[in-house]
Amino acid sequence: MADNITLTPSTTPDGCGPNLDSLYFNLCDKSAVWGIVLEAFAAAGIVFSIVLFIALVASIPFAKNHNRRSSIALHAFFLIFTLGLFCLTFAFIVGKDFSTCASRRFLFGVLFAGCFACLLMQCVRLNVLARSNSAPHAWVLCLGALGLWLVEAVINTEWLIITIVRHPLLPLNLTAPASRATATPCNIANQDFVMALIYVMTLILAVFVASSAIFGGKHAHWKKYGACIFLAVFFSVGIWVAWIVMYVYGNGKHGSPKWDDPTLAIALVANAWVFLILYSIPEICCLSGGDEESEQGFGEVLYPTRGVGYETILKEQKSQNMFMENKAFSMDEPSQASKPISPYSGYTGQLRGQVYQPTELAIISKAGNNPAEASMTIPRATTHHSAADSRSSTPTSHTDINAGTYTPHNGQGNGLRTSQW
């Protein structure tokens, strides 16, 4: 490999420029295909992470559900840490010096700790939602993720300072030239690098257990989000087991320490793409999904909108199973049992003078149809031609006429009377 010897412009590998520093030969060396492939995947991951971050921010106005909006801040931090994983891949592709080795040792654990801390708080949020359907506040979740991440940041800072201050005499890392590795952070054994990541492994285990507990909730529509986290951490566990075994035992056993850097670079790119494909993309796609519709439908059942329009009247009639009667046949039917009538039922909003008053002819015709009122008659006023006819009339006839006199039911006693001459 190009990092085992010091290359000069005369020995520039195929694909690189003549004035390029030997530190960056792995980015263009055609004989080191792993560097070019990982470079392409890392660059694509950087672009894709930025696009997803913009899509996440743009979807904030469309996320109307409070339970869904509480995860936006955590997901934004998660995408930032995932973007950092793709950028850190280039530090493992290029050669080793003080800056690249320091960034490798410090940022590898810090960036992974940030990703898994955000996932762990997402699991806490989903566990609460799956059991009570009410999410915690976003600031509480962000503070929890920040506290978990700061623990790894403090551990790596302290470990980096202690190992650099010791100034080891001989380089322990055989993948870097002696001139570059002496008194630099590159001088560290592979086992020590893995031991510094114990806290990150603890976070991975915690996320795995917490994501499994989501499936025990009673609200099933939140379990699909827990399934995404479970799949992401499941593949992450497989990636971490693979690269640790290869980095600690495999490369040294087969005498290939030059594959240490490709092993770590592949682990970074693979795990970052697992985060994007299995978690970030489904989370953003479901951010403004069907949960709002189900909540809206549930709210409409509890608080129905009551209008005064024609459509509302028709709906109420259908709900009460009302039907229209045929008035042509209802007139011949006997009267039904009396129903209580509201005293305001006859009010039409018209003036008293505009209310319809039936005439005598209408009353007579109604009395003919109704046997109950058949006995009521209206006498006629007659004019006698002579006083003799008047005197010849008997009291009985006068009594009959008076008895047949119609007295309206208005209480005023203004009935028709026959005049006597």
Side-chain angles (χ1 to χ4, degrees), residues 132-358:
S132 63
N133 201 26
S134 178
H137 294 288
W139 63 270
V140 177
L141 299 174
C142 292
L143 284 180
L146 179 62
L148 294 174
W149 173 75
L150 285 177
V151 174
E152 177 64 17
V154 172
I155 292 174
N156 276 17
T157 302
E158 183 180 3
W159 178 67
L160 185 63
I161 293 175
I162 292 176
T163 54
I164 290 178
V165 170
R166 288 191 308 176
H167 295 294
L169 300 177
L170 296 176
L172 298 177
N173 197 314
L174 300 178
T175 62
S179 58
R180 291 178 183 256
T182 304
T184 64
C186 300
N187 193 12
I188 183 176
N190 294 352
Q191 291 81 359
D192 295 337
F193 183 83
V194 174
M195 289 296 293
L197 300 174
I198 291 180
Y199 179 75
V200 181
M201 300 177 194
T202 305
L203 289 179
I204 297 175
L205 180 62
V207 175
F208 184 82
V209 174
S211 61
S212 303
I214 298 174
F215 301 103
K218 59 182 178 179
H219 297 279
H221 61 280
W222 295 110
K223 296 181 182 180
K224 59 182 179 180
Y225 304 105
C228 296
I229 300 179
F230 179 80
L231 290 177
V233 72
F234 178 79
F235 282 96
S236 298
V237 170
I239 293 172
W240 273 67
V241 171
W243 79 259
I244 289 176
V245 172
M246 187 174 180
Y247 186 70
V248 176
Y249 298 102
N251 295 339
K253 184 177 181 180
H254 294 284
S256 301
K258 62 182 180 181
W259 281 99
D260 289 346
D261 294 345
T263 300
L264 298 176
I266 292 173
L268 282 170
V269 173
N271 211 160
W273 273 109
V274 165
F275 288 154
L276 292 184
I277 295 175
L278 296 181
Y279 173 69
S280 292
I281 296 177
E283 181 75 13
I284 294 176
C285 292
C286 298
L287 185 60
S288 57
D291 289 342
E292 292 82 8
E293 297 177 1
S294 61
E295 272 196 353
Q296 185 178 3
F298 181 73
E300 289 178 356
V301 175
L302 290 179
Y303 306 100
T305 303
R306 300 190 59 85
V308 293
Y310 181 71
E311 296 81 359
T312 307
I313 298 175
L314 292 180
K315 290 180 180 179
E316 292 179 355
Q317 290 180 353
K318 291 179 181 179
S319 63
Q320 298 175 2
N321 295 327
M322 298 180 65
F323 58 91
M324 299 297 295
E325 296 182 355
N326 192 343
K327 295 183 179 180
F329 298 96
S330 62
M331 294 178 63
D332 298 336
E333 296 178 357
S335 59
Q336 302 292 332
S338 60
K339 299 179 180 180
I341 302 176
S342 174
Y344 303 101
S345 60
Y347 177 71
T348 59
Q350 298 179 354
L351 298 178
R352 184 177 182 84
Q354 298 178 355
V355 179
Y356 170 73
Q357 297 180 357

Side-chain angles (χ1 to χ4, degrees), residues 12 27 79 181 232 323 337 419:
T12 301
L27 297 174
L79 287 176
F323 58 91
S419 59

Side-chain angles (χ1 to χ4, degrees), residues 36-49 83 85-90 93 265 269 273:
I36 299 176
V37 174
L38 289 178
E39 177 186 358
F41 276 98
I46 291 173
V47 175
F48 207 70
S49 299
L83 176 64
L85 292 178
F86 285 116
C87 296
L88 184 62
T89 306
F90 291 93
I93 297 176
V269 173
W273 273 109

